[in-house]
Coordinates of all heavy atoms in Angstrom, one line a residue:
M1 N -22.3 7.5 -58.0 CA -23.8 7.3 -58.2 C -24.0 6.9 -59.7 O -23.4 7.4 -60.6 CB -24.5 8.6 -57.9 CG -26.0 8.5 -58.3 SD -26.9 10.0 -58.2 CE -27.3 10.0 -56.4
Q2 N -24.8 5.9 -59.9 CA -25.2 5.5 -61.2 C -26.7 5.9 -61.5 O -27.5 5.9 -60.6 CB -25.2 4.0 -61.3 CG -23.8 3.4 -61.2 CD -23.0 3.6 -62.4 OE1 -23.5 3.4 -63.5 NE2 -21.7 4.0 -62.2
Q3 N -26.9 6.3 -62.7 CA -28.3 6.7 -63.1 C -28.6 6.2 -64.5 O -27.7 6.0 -65.3 CB -28.4 8.2 -63.2 CG -28.4 8.9 -61.9 CD -28.8 10.4 -62.1 OE1 -29.6 10.8 -63.0 NE2 -28.2 11.2 -61.3
K4 N -29.9 6.0 -64.8 CA -30.3 5.6 -66.1 C -31.7 6.0 -66.3 O -32.6 5.9 -65.4 CB -30.2 4.1 -66.3 CG -30.5 3.7 -67.7 CD -30.1 2.3 -68.0 CE -30.3 1.9 -69.5 NZ -30.0 0.5 -69.8
Q5 N -32.0 6.5 -67.5 CA -33.4 7.0 -67.8 C -34.0 5.8 -68.6 O -33.4 5.2 -69.5 CB -33.3 8.2 -68.7 CG -34.6 8.8 -69.1 CD -34.4 10.1 -69.9 OE1 -33.8 11.0 -69.4 NE2 -34.9 10.1 -71.1
V6 N -35.3 5.5 -68.2 CA -36.0 4.4 -68.8 C -37.4 4.9 -69.1 O -37.9 5.8 -68.5 CB -36.0 3.1 -68.0 CG1 -34.7 2.5 -67.8 CG2 -36.6 3.4 -66.6
T7 N -38.1 4.2 -70.1 CA -39.4 4.5 -70.5 C -40.3 3.3 -70.1 O -40.0 2.2 -70.5 CB -39.5 4.8 -72.0 OG1 -38.6 5.9 -72.3 CG2 -40.9 5.1 -72.4
I8 N -41.5 3.6 -69.5 CA -42.4 2.5 -69.2 C -43.0 2.0 -70.5 O -43.5 2.8 -71.3 CB -43.6 3.1 -68.3 CG1 -43.0 3.7 -67.1 CG2 -44.6 2.0 -68.0 CD1 -42.4 2.8 -66.1
K9 N -42.9 0.7 -70.8 CA -43.3 0.1 -72.0 C -44.6 -0.7 -72.0 O -45.3 -1.0 -73.0 CB -42.2 -0.7 -72.6 CG -41.0 0.1 -73.0 CD -39.9 -0.7 -73.6 CE -38.8 0.3 -74.0 NZ -37.7 -0.4 -74.6
N10 N -44.9 -1.3 -70.8 CA -46.1 -2.1 -70.7 C -47.4 -1.3 -70.8 O -47.5 -0.2 -70.4 CB -46.0 -3.0 -69.5 CG -46.0 -2.2 -68.2 OD1 -45.2 -1.3 -68.1 ND2 -46.8 -2.6 -67.2
E11 N -48.4 -1.9 -71.4 CA -49.7 -1.3 -71.7 C -50.3 -0.7 -70.4 O -50.9 0.4 -70.5 CB -50.6 -2.2 -72.4 CG -50.2 -2.6 -73.8 CD -50.2 -1.4 -74.7 OE1 -51.1 -0.5 -74.6 OE2 -49.3 -1.4 -75.6
A12 N -50.3 -1.4 -69.3 CA -51.0 -1.0 -68.1 C -50.2 0.0 -67.3 O -50.7 0.5 -66.3 CB -51.3 -2.2 -67.3
G13 N -49.0 0.3 -67.7 CA -48.2 1.3 -67.0 C -47.6 0.7 -65.7 O -47.5 -0.5 -65.5
F14 N -47.3 1.6 -64.8 CA -46.6 1.3 -63.5 C -47.7 1.1 -62.4 O -47.8 1.9 -61.5 CB -45.6 2.4 -63.2 CG -44.5 2.0 -62.2 CD1 -43.7 0.9 -62.5 CD2 -44.3 2.6 -61.0 CE1 -42.6 0.6 -61.7 CE2 -43.3 2.3 -60.2 CZ -42.5 1.2 -60.5
H15 N -48.5 0.0 -62.6 CA -49.5 -0.3 -61.6 C -49.0 -1.1 -60.5 O -47.8 -1.3 -60.3 CB -50.7 -0.9 -62.3 CG -50.4 -2.2 -63.0 ND1 -50.5 -3.4 -62.4 CD2 -49.9 -2.4 -64.3 CE1 -50.2 -4.4 -63.3 NE2 -49.8 -3.8 -64.4
I16 N -49.9 -1.7 -59.7 CA -49.5 -2.4 -58.5 C -48.5 -3.6 -58.7 O -47.6 -3.7 -57.9 CB -50.8 -2.9 -57.7 CG1 -50.4 -3.5 -56.3 CG2 -51.6 -3.9 -58.4 CD1 -50.2 -2.5 -55.3
R17 N -48.8 -4.4 -59.7 CA -47.9 -5.5 -59.9 C -46.5 -5.1 -60.3 O -45.5 -5.5 -59.6 CB -48.4 -6.5 -60.9 CG -47.6 -7.7 -61.1 CD -48.1 -8.6 -62.2 NE -47.2 -9.6 -62.6 CZ -46.2 -9.4 -63.5 NH1 -46.0 -8.2 -64.0 NH2 -45.3 -10.4 -63.7
P18 N -46.3 -4.2 -61.3 CA -44.9 -3.7 -61.6 C -44.3 -3.0 -60.4 O -43.1 -3.2 -60.1 CB -45.1 -2.8 -62.7 CG -46.4 -3.2 -63.4 CD -47.2 -3.7 -62.3
A19 N -45.0 -2.2 -59.6 CA -44.5 -1.5 -58.5 C -44.0 -2.6 -57.4 O -42.9 -2.4 -56.8 CB -45.5 -0.6 -57.8
Q20 N -44.8 -3.6 -57.2 CA -44.4 -4.7 -56.3 C -43.1 -5.4 -56.8 O -42.2 -5.6 -56.0 CB -45.5 -5.7 -56.1 CG -45.1 -6.8 -55.1 CD -46.2 -7.8 -55.0 OE1 -47.2 -7.8 -55.6 NE2 -46.0 -8.7 -54.1
L21 N -43.1 -5.7 -58.0 CA -41.9 -6.4 -58.6 C -40.6 -5.5 -58.4 O -39.6 -5.9 -58.1 CB -42.1 -6.8 -60.0 CG -43.0 -7.9 -60.4 CD1 -43.3 -8.0 -61.9 CD2 -42.5 -9.2 -59.8
F22 N -40.8 -4.2 -58.8 CA -39.7 -3.2 -58.7 C -39.2 -3.1 -57.3 O -38.0 -3.1 -57.1 CB -40.2 -1.9 -59.3 CG -39.1 -1.0 -59.7 CD1 -38.6 -1.0 -60.9 CD2 -38.7 -0.1 -58.7 CE1 -37.6 -0.1 -61.3 CE2 -37.6 0.8 -59.1 CZ -37.1 0.8 -60.3
S23 N -40.1 -2.9 -56.4 CA -39.7 -2.7 -55.0 C -39.0 -3.9 -54.4 O -38.0 -3.8 -53.7 CB -40.8 -2.2 -54.1 OG -41.8 -3.2 -53.9
E24 N -39.5 -5.1 -54.7 CA -38.9 -6.4 -54.2 C -37.5 -6.5 -54.8 O -36.6 -6.9 -54.1 CB -39.8 -7.5 -54.6 CG -41.1 -7.7 -53.8 CD -42.0 -8.8 -54.2 OE1 -41.7 -9.4 -55.2 OE2 -43.0 -9.0 -53.5
K25 N -37.4 -6.3 -56.1 CA -36.1 -6.4 -56.7 C -35.1 -5.4 -56.2 O -34.0 -5.7 -55.9 CB -36.2 -6.2 -58.2 CG -34.9 -6.5 -59.0 CD -34.4 -7.9 -58.8 CE -35.1 -8.9 -59.6 NZ -34.6 -10.2 -59.6
A26 N -35.6 -4.1 -56.0 CA -34.7 -3.1 -55.4 C -34.3 -3.5 -54.0 O -33.1 -3.2 -53.6 CB -35.5 -1.8 -55.3
G27 N -35.1 -4.2 -53.2 CA -34.8 -4.6 -51.9 C -33.7 -5.6 -51.8 O -33.2 -5.8 -50.7
T28 N -33.3 -6.2 -52.9 CA -32.3 -7.2 -52.9 C -30.9 -6.6 -53.0 O -29.9 -7.3 -52.9 CB -32.4 -8.2 -54.1 OG1 -32.2 -7.6 -55.3 CG2 -33.8 -8.9 -54.0
F29 N -30.8 -5.2 -53.2 CA -29.6 -4.5 -53.3 C -29.2 -3.8 -52.0 O -30.2 -3.3 -51.3 CB -29.6 -3.6 -54.5 CG -29.7 -4.3 -55.8 CD1 -30.9 -4.5 -56.4 CD2 -28.6 -4.9 -56.4 CE1 -31.0 -5.2 -57.6 CE2 -28.7 -5.6 -57.6 CZ -29.9 -5.7 -58.2
Q30 N -28.0 -3.6 -51.7 CA -27.5 -2.8 -50.5 C -27.6 -1.3 -50.8 O -27.8 -0.6 -49.9 CB -26.1 -3.2 -50.2 CG -25.9 -4.6 -49.8 CD -26.6 -4.9 -48.4 OE1 -26.5 -4.1 -47.5 NE2 -27.2 -6.0 -48.3
S31 N -27.5 -0.9 -52.0 CA -27.4 0.5 -52.4 C -28.7 1.2 -52.1 O -29.8 0.6 -52.0 CB -27.1 0.7 -53.9 OG -25.9 0.2 -54.2
S32 N -28.6 2.5 -51.9 CA -29.8 3.3 -51.8 C -30.3 3.5 -53.2 O -29.5 3.9 -54.1 CB -29.5 4.7 -51.2 OG -29.1 4.5 -49.9
I33 N -31.6 3.3 -53.5 CA -32.1 3.4 -54.9 C -33.3 4.3 -54.9 O -34.2 4.2 -54.0 CB -32.5 2.0 -55.4 CG1 -31.3 1.0 -55.3 CG2 -33.0 2.1 -56.9 CD1 -31.7 -0.4 -55.5
A34 N -33.3 5.2 -55.9 CA -34.4 6.2 -56.0 C -34.9 6.2 -57.4 O -34.2 5.9 -58.4 CB -33.9 7.6 -55.6
V35 N -36.2 6.6 -57.5 CA -36.8 6.8 -58.8 C -37.4 8.2 -58.9 O -37.9 8.7 -57.9 CB -38.0 5.7 -59.0 CG1 -38.8 6.0 -60.2 CG2 -37.5 4.3 -59.0
K36 N -37.2 8.8 -60.0 CA -37.8 10.1 -60.2 C -38.4 10.3 -61.6 O -37.7 10.0 -62.6 CB -36.7 11.2 -60.1 CG -37.1 12.6 -60.2 CD -36.1 13.6 -59.8 CE -34.8 13.5 -60.7 NZ -33.9 14.6 -60.4
P37 N -39.7 10.6 -61.7 CA -40.3 10.8 -63.0 C -39.7 12.0 -63.6 O -39.3 13.0 -63.0 CB -41.8 11.1 -62.6 CG -42.0 10.5 -61.3 CD -40.7 10.7 -60.6
E38 N -39.5 11.9 -64.9 CA -38.9 13.0 -65.7 C -39.7 14.3 -65.5 O -40.9 14.3 -65.5 CB -38.9 12.6 -67.2 CG -38.2 13.7 -68.0 CD -38.2 13.2 -69.5 OE1 -39.3 12.9 -70.0 OE2 -37.1 13.2 -70.1
G39 N -39.0 15.4 -65.2 CA -39.6 16.6 -65.0 C -40.1 16.9 -63.6 O -40.6 18.0 -63.3
Q40 N -39.9 16.0 -62.7 CA -40.2 16.2 -61.3 C -39.0 16.3 -60.4 O -37.9 15.7 -60.8 CB -41.1 15.1 -60.8 CG -42.5 15.1 -61.4 CD -43.4 14.1 -60.8 OE1 -43.2 13.6 -59.7 NE2 -44.5 13.8 -61.4
D41 N -39.1 16.9 -59.3 CA -37.9 17.1 -58.4 C -37.7 16.1 -57.4 O -36.6 15.8 -56.9 CB -38.0 18.5 -57.7 CG -37.8 19.6 -58.7 OD1 -37.1 19.4 -59.8 OD2 -38.4 20.7 -58.5
A42 N -38.8 15.5 -56.9 CA -38.8 14.6 -55.7 C -38.4 13.2 -56.1 O -38.9 12.6 -57.1 CB -40.2 14.6 -55.0
D43 N -37.4 12.6 -55.4 CA -37.0 11.3 -55.5 C -37.9 10.4 -54.7 O -38.3 10.8 -53.6 CB -35.6 11.0 -55.1 CG -34.6 11.6 -56.1 OD1 -34.9 11.7 -57.3 OD2 -33.5 11.9 -55.7
I44 N -38.3 9.2 -55.2 CA -39.1 8.2 -54.4 C -38.2 7.0 -54.1 O -37.4 6.6 -55.0 CB -40.3 7.8 -55.3 CG1 -41.2 8.9 -55.7 CG2 -41.0 6.7 -54.6 CD1 -41.8 9.6 -54.6
D45 N -38.2 6.6 -52.9 CA -37.4 5.4 -52.5 C -37.9 4.2 -53.3 O -39.1 3.8 -53.2 CB -37.6 5.2 -51.0 CG -36.9 4.0 -50.4 OD1 -36.2 3.3 -51.2 OD2 -36.9 3.8 -49.2
A46 N -37.1 3.6 -54.0 CA -37.4 2.5 -54.9 C -37.8 1.2 -54.1 O -38.4 0.3 -54.6 CB -36.3 2.2 -55.9
K47 N -37.5 1.2 -52.8 CA -37.7 0.0 -52.0 C -39.1 0.2 -51.3 O -39.5 -0.7 -50.6 CB -36.6 -0.2 -51.0 CG -35.3 -0.5 -51.7 CD -34.1 -0.6 -50.7 CE -32.8 -0.8 -51.4 NZ -31.7 -1.0 -50.5
S48 N -39.8 1.3 -51.5 CA -41.1 1.5 -50.9 C -42.2 1.4 -51.9 O -42.4 2.2 -52.8 CB -41.1 3.0 -50.4 OG -42.4 3.3 -50.0
I49 N -43.0 0.3 -51.8 CA -44.1 0.1 -52.7 C -45.1 1.2 -52.7 O -45.6 1.6 -53.7 CB -44.7 -1.3 -52.6 CG1 -45.7 -1.6 -53.7 CG2 -45.4 -1.4 -51.2 CD1 -46.2 -3.0 -53.8
L50 N -45.3 1.7 -51.5 CA -46.3 2.8 -51.4 C -45.8 4.1 -52.1 O -46.6 4.8 -52.8 CB -46.6 3.1 -49.9 CG -47.3 2.1 -49.1 CD1 -47.5 2.5 -47.7 CD2 -48.7 1.8 -49.7
G51 N -44.5 4.4 -52.0 CA -44.0 5.5 -52.7 C -44.1 5.3 -54.2 O -44.4 6.2 -54.9
L52 N -43.8 4.1 -54.6 CA -43.8 3.8 -56.1 C -45.2 4.0 -56.6 O -45.5 4.4 -57.7 CB -43.3 2.5 -56.4 CG -41.8 2.3 -56.1 CD1 -41.4 0.8 -56.3 CD2 -40.9 3.2 -57.0
M53 N -46.2 3.5 -55.8 CA -47.6 3.6 -56.2 C -48.1 5.0 -56.4 O -49.0 5.3 -57.2 CB -48.5 2.9 -55.2 CG -48.4 1.4 -55.2 SD -48.6 0.6 -56.8 CE -50.3 1.2 -57.2
T54 N -47.5 6.0 -55.7 CA -47.9 7.4 -55.8 C -47.5 8.0 -57.2 O -48.0 9.0 -57.6 CB -47.3 8.2 -54.7 OG1 -45.9 8.3 -54.8 CG2 -47.7 7.7 -53.3
L55 N -46.6 7.3 -57.9 CA -46.1 7.9 -59.1 C -47.1 7.9 -60.2 O -47.2 8.8 -61.0 CB -44.9 7.1 -59.6 CG -43.6 7.2 -58.7 CD1 -42.5 6.2 -59.2 CD2 -43.1 8.6 -58.6
G56 N -48.0 6.9 -60.3 CA -49.0 6.8 -61.3 C -48.5 6.9 -62.8 O -49.1 7.6 -63.6
L57 N -47.4 6.3 -63.1 CA -46.8 6.4 -64.4 C -47.6 5.5 -65.4 O -47.8 4.3 -65.1 CB -45.4 6.0 -64.3 CG -44.5 6.9 -63.4 CD1 -43.1 6.3 -63.4 CD2 -44.5 8.3 -63.9
S58 N -47.9 6.0 -66.6 CA -48.5 5.3 -67.6 C -47.5 4.9 -68.7 O -46.4 5.3 -68.7 CB -49.7 6.0 -68.2 OG -49.2 7.3 -68.7
K59 N -48.0 4.1 -69.7 CA -47.1 3.7 -70.8 C -46.6 5.0 -71.5 O -47.3 5.9 -71.7 CB -47.9 2.9 -71.8 CG -47.1 2.4 -72.9 CD -47.8 1.6 -73.9 CE -46.9 1.2 -75.1 NZ -47.6 0.4 -76.1
G60 N -45.3 4.9 -71.7 CA -44.6 6.1 -72.4 C -44.0 7.1 -71.4 O -43.2 7.9 -71.8
A61 N -44.3 6.9 -70.1 CA -43.7 7.8 -69.1 C -42.2 7.5 -69.0 O -41.8 6.4 -69.1 CB -44.4 7.7 -67.8
V62 N -41.5 8.5 -68.7 CA -40.0 8.4 -68.5 C -39.7 8.6 -67.1 O -40.2 9.5 -66.4 CB -39.3 9.4 -69.4 CG1 -37.8 9.4 -69.2 CG2 -39.6 9.2 -70.9
M63 N -38.8 7.8 -66.6 CA -38.3 7.9 -65.2 C -36.8 7.7 -65.1 O -36.3 7.0 -66.0 CB -39.1 7.0 -64.2 CG -38.8 5.5 -64.4 SD -39.8 4.6 -63.2 CE -39.2 3.0 -63.3
I64 N -36.2 8.2 -64.1 CA -34.8 8.1 -63.9 C -34.6 7.2 -62.7 O -35.1 7.5 -61.6 CB -34.1 9.5 -63.7 CG1 -34.4 10.3 -64.9 CG2 -32.6 9.3 -63.4 CD1 -34.1 11.8 -64.7
I65 N -33.8 6.2 -62.8 CA -33.5 5.3 -61.8 C -32.0 5.6 -61.3 O -31.1 5.7 -62.2 CB -33.5 3.8 -62.2 CG1 -34.9 3.4 -62.7 CG2 -33.1 2.9 -61.1 CD1 -35.0 2.1 -63.4
S66 N -31.8 5.9 -60.1 CA -30.5 6.2 -59.6 C -30.2 5.3 -58.3 O -31.1 5.0 -57.6 CB -30.4 7.7 -59.2 OG -31.3 8.1 -58.3
A67 N -28.9 5.0 -58.2 CA -28.5 4.2 -57.1 C -27.1 4.7 -56.6 O -26.3 5.2 -57.4 CB -28.4 2.7 -57.4
E68 N -26.9 4.6 -55.3 CA -25.6 4.9 -54.7 C -25.3 3.9 -53.6 O -26.1 3.7 -52.7 CB -25.7 6.3 -54.1 CG -24.4 6.8 -53.6 CD -24.4 8.3 -53.3 OE1 -25.4 9.0 -53.6 OE2 -23.4 8.8 -52.8
G69 N -24.1 3.3 -53.8 CA -23.7 2.3 -52.8 C -22.8 1.2 -53.5 O -22.4 1.4 -54.6
S70 N -22.5 0.2 -52.7 CA -21.6 -0.8 -53.2 C -22.0 -1.6 -54.4 O -21.1 -2.1 -55.2 CB -21.3 -1.8 -52.0 OG -22.5 -2.5 -51.7
D71 N -23.3 -1.7 -54.6 CA -23.8 -2.5 -55.8 C -24.6 -1.6 -56.7 O -25.5 -2.1 -57.4 CB -24.5 -3.8 -55.4 CG -25.6 -3.5 -54.4 OD1 -25.9 -2.3 -54.0 OD2 -26.3 -4.4 -53.9
E72 N -24.3 -0.3 -56.8 CA -25.1 0.6 -57.5 C -25.2 0.3 -59.0 O -26.3 0.4 -59.6 CB -24.6 2.0 -57.3 CG -23.2 2.3 -57.8 CD -22.7 3.6 -57.4 OE1 -23.0 4.1 -56.3 OE2 -21.9 4.2 -58.3
E73 N -24.2 -0.1 -59.6 CA -24.2 -0.4 -61.1 C -25.1 -1.6 -61.4 O -26.0 -1.5 -62.3 CB -22.8 -0.7 -61.6 CG -22.7 -0.8 -63.1 CD -21.3 -0.9 -63.6 OE1 -20.3 -0.4 -62.9 OE2 -21.1 -1.5 -64.6
A74 N -25.0 -2.6 -60.6 CA -25.9 -3.8 -60.8 C -27.3 -3.5 -60.5 O -28.3 -3.9 -61.2 CB -25.4 -5.0 -59.9
A75 N -27.6 -2.6 -59.5 CA -28.9 -2.2 -59.1 C -29.6 -1.5 -60.3 O -30.7 -1.8 -60.7 CB -28.9 -1.4 -57.9
V76 N -28.9 -0.5 -60.8 CA -29.5 0.3 -61.9 C -29.7 -0.6 -63.1 O -30.7 -0.5 -63.8 CB -28.6 1.5 -62.2 CG1 -29.0 2.2 -63.5 CG2 -28.6 2.5 -61.0
E77 N -28.7 -1.4 -63.5 CA -28.9 -2.2 -64.7 C -30.0 -3.2 -64.5 O -30.8 -3.4 -65.4 CB -27.6 -3.0 -64.9 CG -27.6 -3.8 -66.2 CD -27.9 -3.0 -67.4 OE1 -27.5 -1.9 -67.5 OE2 -28.6 -3.5 -68.3
T78 N -30.1 -3.9 -63.4 CA -31.2 -4.9 -63.1 C -32.6 -4.2 -63.2 O -33.5 -4.7 -63.8 CB -31.0 -5.6 -61.8 OG1 -29.7 -6.3 -61.8 CG2 -32.1 -6.6 -61.5
L79 N -32.7 -3.1 -62.5 CA -34.0 -2.4 -62.4 C -34.4 -1.8 -63.8 O -35.6 -1.9 -64.2 CB -34.1 -1.4 -61.3 CG -33.9 -2.0 -59.9 CD1 -33.7 -0.9 -58.9 CD2 -35.2 -2.8 -59.6
S80 N -33.4 -1.3 -64.5 CA -33.7 -0.8 -65.8 C -34.2 -1.9 -66.8 O -35.1 -1.7 -67.6 CB -32.4 -0.1 -66.4 OG -32.0 1.0 -65.7
R81 N -33.5 -3.0 -66.7 CA -33.9 -4.1 -67.6 C -35.4 -4.6 -67.2 O -36.1 -4.9 -68.1 CB -32.9 -5.3 -67.4 CG -33.1 -6.4 -68.4 CD -32.0 -7.5 -68.3 NE -31.6 -7.7 -67.0 CZ -30.3 -7.5 -66.6 NH1 -29.4 -7.1 -67.3 NH2 -30.0 -7.7 -65.3
L82 N -35.7 -4.6 -66.0 CA -37.1 -5.0 -65.6 C -38.1 -4.0 -66.2 O -39.1 -4.5 -66.7 CB -37.2 -4.9 -64.0 CG -38.5 -5.3 -63.4 CD1 -38.8 -6.8 -63.7 CD2 -38.5 -5.0 -61.9
V83 N -37.8 -2.7 -66.2 CA -38.7 -1.8 -66.8 C -38.7 -1.9 -68.3 O -39.8 -2.0 -69.0 CB -38.3 -0.3 -66.5 CG1 -39.1 0.7 -67.2 CG2 -38.4 -0.1 -65.0
E84 N -37.6 -2.0 -68.9 CA -37.5 -2.1 -70.4 C -38.1 -3.4 -70.9 O -38.6 -3.4 -72.1 CB -36.0 -2.1 -70.8 CG -35.4 -0.7 -70.6 CD -33.9 -0.6 -70.7 OE1 -33.2 -1.7 -70.7 OE2 -33.4 0.5 -70.7
E85 N -38.2 -4.5 -70.1 CA -38.8 -5.7 -70.5 C -40.3 -5.7 -70.2 O -41.0 -6.7 -70.3 CB -38.1 -6.9 -69.9 CG -36.7 -7.1 -70.4 CD -35.9 -8.2 -69.7 OE1 -36.4 -8.7 -68.7 OE2 -34.8 -8.5 -70.1
G86 N -40.9 -4.6 -69.8 CA -42.3 -4.5 -69.5 C -42.8 -5.2 -68.3 O -43.9 -5.6 -68.2
F87 N -41.9 -5.4 -67.3 CA -42.2 -6.2 -66.1 C -42.8 -7.5 -66.4 O -43.6 -8.1 -65.6 CB -43.2 -5.3 -65.3 CG -42.7 -4.0 -64.9 CD1 -43.1 -2.9 -65.7 CD2 -41.9 -3.7 -63.9 CE1 -42.7 -1.6 -65.4 CE2 -41.4 -2.5 -63.6 CZ -41.9 -1.4 -64.4
G88 N -42.4 -8.1 -67.5 CA -42.8 -9.5 -67.8 C -44.3 -9.5 -68.4 O -44.8 -10.6 -68.6
E89 N -44.8 -8.3 -68.7 CA -46.2 -8.3 -69.1 C -46.3 -8.1 -70.7 O -47.4 -8.3 -71.2 CB -46.9 -7.1 -68.5 CG -47.1 -7.2 -67.0 CD -47.8 -6.1 -66.4 OE1 -48.1 -5.0 -67.1 OE2 -48.2 -6.2 -65.2
A90 N -45.2 -7.7 -71.3 CA -45.3 -7.4 -72.7 C -45.2 -8.7 -73.5 O -44.7 -9.7 -73.2 CB -44.1 -6.5 -73.1

C-alpha cells in the first residue's frame, strides 16, 4: 500500500470541478484508491465523485491519499501532483 499526505492549495478548495478531475483521474488506475481527511477515520472511494463531494475540504485542508494494487505508486503520485498543483486553478 502506498500513501501520501497532501494539502489543498487552490483558493476554492475541493469543490465540484476538482472532485470531478480527481475521480476521473483515479478511475484510470487499476488500484483501489481512497482519500481520508486528516483526523477522520472513514476512507472515501477516490473513484466516487459523490463520495468526494461529501468531504467539503477547503484551502489548507490536509488529506491522505492511499492506493493498493498493481499501479498503486503511480496512482498516489499522479493524484498527489494534481492536488499539489491546485487542480490547474492556481
Side-chain angles (χ1 to χ4, degrees):
M1 177 188 276
Q2 293 287 316
Q3 287 189 35
K4 187 168 183 183
Q5 182 174 303
V6 294
T7 302
I8 304 293
K9 296 183 178 181
N10 58 313
E11 291 297 325
F14 202 58
H15 59 91
I16 186 83
R17 183 182 167 279
Q20 179 181 6
L21 289 172
F22 196 91
S23 67
E24 286 175 355
K25 186 61 76 174
T28 66
F29 295 98
Q30 295 293 319
S31 295
S32 296
I33 306 168
V35 174
K36 180 169 62 174
E38 185 178 54
Q40 292 187 15
D41 292 330
D43 287 333
I44 301 296
D45 181 357
K47 298 177 184 181
S48 167
I49 190 167
L50 293 177
L52 294 173
M53 290 302 304
T54 66
L55 296 174
L57 300 174
S58 58
K59 182 179 180 183
V62 176
M63 67 181 189
I64 299 163
I65 302 169
S66 59
E68 189 167 353
S70 61
D71 53 2
E72 62 189 35
E73 190 173 330
V76 169
E77 184 57 37
T78 299
L79 294 170
S80 296
R81 190 173 36 242
L82 183 64
V83 174
E84 291 166 349
E85 292 175 354
F87 305 96
E89 295 180 350

